[in-house]
Amino acid sequence: MDPGPPVVIRGLNHWFGAGEARKQALYDIDLTIARGSLTAVVGPSGSGKTTVLTLVGCLREVQEGSVRLLGHELRHAKPNLLMLLRRRLGFIFQAHNLHDSLTAIENVRMGLQVHGAMDPRREIEAAGHALALLGLADRMDYLPANLSGGQKQRVAIARALVGNPDLILADEPTAALDRESGSNVVDILMRLGKARGTTTIMVTHDGRILDRADRIVTLEEGRIVADTAPFAG
Amino acid sequence: MRWIIARLFGRLPIGWLQLTHSRTRFASALAGVAFANVLVFVQLGLMSSMATATLRPYSFFRADVMISAPDADSLTEGGNVARQWLLQALADPEVEAGIGLFLGNVTWHLPGKGLVLTTFGVDPAASGFLAPDIAAKAGVLSMRNAGLLDRLSRGLPRETAAAIRPQTPLSFEVSGDTVTLYDTFAGGGGFSGDGHMVVSDQTFLGLFPARSSAAPDHLLLRVVPGADPVVVAERLRDLVSDKSLRIRTYAAAGREDLVYQQTRRPTGIIFGFGVVIGILVGLVIVYQVLSTDVADHLGEYATFKAMGYPPRFFLGVVLEEALVLGIFGFLPGLGLGTALLALMAQATTLPLQMTATMALSVFVGTIVFSMLSGVLATRRLAAADPADLF
Ligand SMILES: Nc1ncnc2c1ncn2[C@@H]1O[C@H](COP(=O)(O)OP(=O)(O)O)[C@@H](O)[C@H]1O
Ligand SMILES: [Mg+2]
């Protein structure tokens, strides 16, 4: 494992559009994320939370400044490196984006198969375990069409977690979940973080998560305006 | 199938699952591929029957070299050749013998229909130039107005043909003359005639008073044993003073006739065009199905991209789908095509049938073109931008 913090952002600026329409979305962001921490990112809509996540997640090109992810500089990084780095991340999107023709467990297995061939039995075991962790032990062979919105989101979370990612990036993951499964997800993410040093950056306004986050970063109009550690000291 | 694909690709058979997820869509996609296959099969069947029909009259004769008029693109087309060139050709030490071959169409008016018979006039004494089956029966041809009939002629009642025997000949009228059929041989209807008839050159000239014995349609030559017809034909091109004549080996003449029928005659061009249309229809259908499928799953594909799946993974999924469509569309296409060709053969008496070569080449073509469509369809994947997922 790489030494040092998994994410180090320095002087990050980002723009969208070109010419007249060019608009700055991020201004001079500096942020260091500690290993194993759960960082909540909050802020009003349009403040740049998602943009930060997509840059850290190697889904957008870094235009100015520096983002070091798991020891690798992302600015000017080759597509292949970005692809390999993404395999070490767990993405939880707002939309679950499950494959409608794959069952719950097959969708989760896709999170494992990206790492290469594996004994199918061990693969099924690991995927089943991830689903069970999210309370879906009895829904493994269901197609997404036969799952509720919350269940689908939990399958997507299982898919993100099953490969033991070094960093989880989540954008409002509990928005679609009911109260109980929402806390359940928070529990799991926290437990994983503690036990395996999994780092989590999560955009959320969910009070239950904010209560338990190691750190809360607040963005406003593309700038970090507050950075607090509720439980520090 | 799932298992095979999983083994083949070393992953979940996503393409297969995705294609078969909606049964009706899968069925209509397969129907489309099958339709394209049937289209190609019918056209190929027509093309190959055209080949059979074109080459069939060549099989009635045995020759090594053929001399024809410059405009004789096929056996039945073009002007005639002066017999004097035969004498020149015979001067070549490796040319053993030669005859003139006369060709004309005779219509036999049966009740309710006219049978167009491509009629060949040859010297019955030169039986070495006839196919064994015909040569064995050629003795009767030395009689005046005697003929041998193609018993598989289109529109000729089976019983009528079977009744024709040297002891029980059958006569019919041709523009004032009476032709008497003493025996039959196996031929078959083609695209330009219903059947064939062989008569002596003397009978032929009687039936076609405008034709002269000095100018047959083609000259057939036989070379001495061991001589190479290609070399002899080459030499004859120098030897014969009329440089405009077409002097080819007999085999080459048949081949060139076929190429002419398939590439320069409207029917041949239409059949060839039909094959192209069939391939295009198949290509478009498979492309349509696959690119719609990609477009419908952009979010999921973008998720896979975000998860770190490489470009070849997506190509693999789409090719897997192309393969499934190709294989499962081909099978009903083969069944339908075979049945349709058999039906058409019955209705037209053309030599139409499914052959192993046709089935195999269409199968390979289907797979290749499906894959090609798949590769084209993956271009749509570029629109799957994982940055839009958050
Ligand atoms: N793909 C895009 N194209 C153009 N502008 C964008 C795009 N994505 C985000 N923006 C703009 O960047 C700013 C930050 O957006 P975003 O990071 O999505 O905010 P948040 O996630 O905090 O709501 C907003 O002004 C938004 O309009
Ligand atoms: Mg957002």
Side-chain angles (χ1 to χ4, degrees):
Chain A
M1 209 163 257
D2 315 290
V7 180
V8 181
I9 302 174
R10 290 290 174 267
L12 179 66
N13 287 299
H14 198 83
W15 291 265
F16 284 108
E20 287 286 288
R22 188 165 149 100
K23 180 172 164 281
Q24 189 157 4
L26 294 178
Y27 295 85
D28 202 25
I29 302 289
D30 283 321
L31 188 65
T32 303
I33 304 290
R35 180 174 309 283
S37 65
L38 168 57
T39 303
V41 180
V42 299
S45 172
S47 59
K49 305 181 295 292
T50 296
T51 307
V52 170
L53 239 51
T54 55
L55 286 165
V56 172
C58 310
L59 301 176
R60 272 188 211 292
E61 217 171 301
V62 175
Q63 298 167 342
E64 196 180 297
S66 157
V67 177
R68 287 190 74 79
L69 172 68
L70 305 170
H72 297 272
E73 175 59 52
L74 300 187
R75 180 118 191 258
H76 303 312
K78 293 209 168 65
N80 197 48
L81 172 65
L82 296 178
M83 183 187 80
L84 292 176
L85 281 172
R86 284 205 298 268
R87 291 189 189 170
R88 298 172 60 185
L89 307 179
F91 289 101
I92 304 170
F93 303 103
Q94 260 159 333
H96 54 81
N97 281 319
L98 296 180
H99 235 262
D100 54 5
S101 55
L102 299 182
T103 61
I105 193 161
E106 286 169 342
N107 267 291
V108 176
R109 286 172 67 187
M110 289 309 294
L112 286 170
Q113 294 196 344
V114 71
H115 300 290
M118 185 174 172
D119 175 21
R121 259 172 316 184
R122 274 188 41 216
E123 197 180 285
I124 290 166
E125 201 178 276
H129 183 69
L131 280 172
L133 268 180
L134 284 140
L136 292 168
D138 56 343
R139 292 288 186 277
M140 295 201 197
D141 296 320
Y142 281 49
L143 286 173
N146 301 322
L147 296 172
S148 72
Q151 287 169 333
K152 280 188 270 213
Q153 187 62 342
R154 280 187 278 157
V155 174
I157 292 169
R159 178 176 63 185
L161 298 185
V162 73
N164 287 334
D166 294 324
L167 172 66
I168 292 170
L169 296 174
D171 201 339
E172 302 268 11
T174 56
L177 302 188
D178 56 49
R179 198 172 171 70
E180 199 190 316
S181 39
S183 328
N184 189 358
V185 166
V186 176
D187 282 341
I188 290 158
L189 291 178
M190 303 274 300
R191 266 213 316 275
L192 277 174
K194 293 285 172 287
R196 292 193 299 225
T198 308
T199 315
T200 305
I201 306 177
M202 189 186 295
V203 172
T204 186
H205 290 102
D206 192 319
R208 294 160 302 175
I209 296 173
L210 295 180
D211 284 349
R212 305 162 73 166
D214 297 310
R215 183 175 176 191
I216 300 174
V217 174
T218 310
L219 281 179
E220 247 169 57
E221 295 182 343
R223 292 184 172 85
I224 295 178
V225 294
D227 189 346
T228 58
F231 306 115
Chain B
M1 194 64 205
R2 280 189 59 139
W3 187 85
I4 296 171
I5 295 171
R7 270 303 166 98
L8 205 65
F9 290 86
R11 58 162 169 76
L12 285 167
I14 300 171
W16 166 261
L17 293 172
Q18 203 161 288
L19 268 181
T20 52
H21 186 62
S22 161
R23 300 275 152 164
T24 45
R25 220 167 81 171
F26 186 49
S28 58
L30 292 187
V33 175
F35 170 73
N37 270 309
V38 168
L39 207 60
V40 172
F41 275 132
V42 167
Q43 303 297 329
L44 280 183
L46 286 169
M47 270 174 96
S48 99
S49 81
M50 175 177 245
T52 311
T54 301
L55 296 178
R56 181 148 46 214
Y58 286 89
S59 73
F60 300 155
F61 307 100
R62 283 191 301 178
D64 298 313
V65 176
M66 185 162 105
I67 302 181
S68 316
D71 56 348
D73 287 317
S74 73
L75 208 54
T76 50
E77 283 175 47
N80 39 43
V81 195
R83 196 183 280 278
Q84 71 186 93
W85 307 125
L86 180 56
L87 300 175
Q88 257 189 1
L90 286 168
D92 186 286
E94 287 194 326
V95 174
E96 189 179 66
I99 57 162
L101 176 66
F102 294 87
L103 253 125
N105 277 346
V106 158
T107 306
W108 177 4
H109 295 282
L110 284 169
K113 62 193 162 223
L115 225 62
V116 178
L117 299 173
T118 305
T119 301
F120 302 93
V122 286
D123 178 0
S127 62
F129 282 93
L130 296 172
D133 173 52
I134 298 174
K137 298 163 179 169
V140 295
L141 293 183
S142 48
M143 286 186 277
R144 215 182 108 71
N145 282 353
L148 296 176
L149 179 70
D150 176 354
R151 65 173 164 271
L152 300 179
S153 296
R154 180 186 306 129
L156 179 70
R158 285 272 167 110
E159 321 78 72
T160 310
I164 298 173
R165 292 281 161 76
Q167 305 82 358
T168 55
L170 179 72
S171 297
F172 69 96
E173 295 290 317
V174 181
S175 49
D177 271 313
T178 301
V179 175
T180 306
L181 303 168
Y182 286 95
D183 218 332
T184 63
F185 61 95
F191 288 83
S192 55
D194 297 315
H196 306 87
M197 180 164 72
V198 178
V199 298
S200 73
D201 42 4
Q202 292 312 309
T203 302
F204 184 93
L205 293 170
L207 292 173
F208 297 90
R211 297 294 304 270
S212 142
S213 78
D217 290 270
H218 303 277
L219 301 174
L220 302 183
L221 306 178
R222 189 169 62 236
V223 300
V224 297
D228 181 355
V230 177
V231 176
V232 176
E234 179 84 54
R235 207 163 47 227
L236 288 176
R237 280 195 280 275
D238 279 337
L239 185 71
V240 176
S241 356
D242 185 346
K243 298 302 174 208
S244 70
L245 291 177
R246 298 181 79 166
I247 304 179
R248 303 165 283 179
T249 65
Y250 192 60
R255 277 198 307 272
E256 287 172 23
D257 192 344
L258 182 56
V259 169
Y260 169 75
Q261 302 288 347
Q262 289 184 336
T263 62
R264 283 166 55 205
R265 289 282 300 269
T267 33
I269 292 170
I270 286 168
F271 298 156
F273 199 60
V275 172
V276 174
I277 296 281
I279 289 171
L280 281 181
V281 166
L283 248 163
V284 167
I285 287 171
V286 175
Y287 174 79
Q288 198 53 41
V289 169
L290 295 185
S291 66
T292 312
D293 201 61
V294 169
D296 286 353
H297 294 90
L298 276 187
E300 290 93 314
Y301 282 124
T303 307
F304 287 145
K305 266 192 196 173
M307 287 162 70
Y309 277 97
R312 76 183 130 78
F313 164 81
F314 303 98
L315 185 65
V317 170
V318 177
L319 289 187
E320 175 195 333
E321 293 187 294
L323 210 61
V324 168
L325 284 180
I327 293 172
F328 287 85
F330 171 78
L331 293 176
L334 177 67
L336 273 173
T338 309
L340 201 61
L341 284 177
L343 269 175
M344 284 170 65
Q346 217 166 43
T348 61
T349 75
L350 285 171
L352 288 164
Q353 59 173 9
M354 180 67 68
T355 64
T357 320
M358 251 163 72
L360 193 72
S361 51
V362 171
F363 178 68
V364 171
T366 304
I367 298 302
V368 167
F369 284 107
S370 294
M371 298 280 228
L372 193 68
S373 307
V375 171
L376 291 177
T378 55
R379 294 188 316 171
R380 282 221 182 174
L381 278 170
D385 183 1
D388 297 335
L389 289 172
F390 277 115

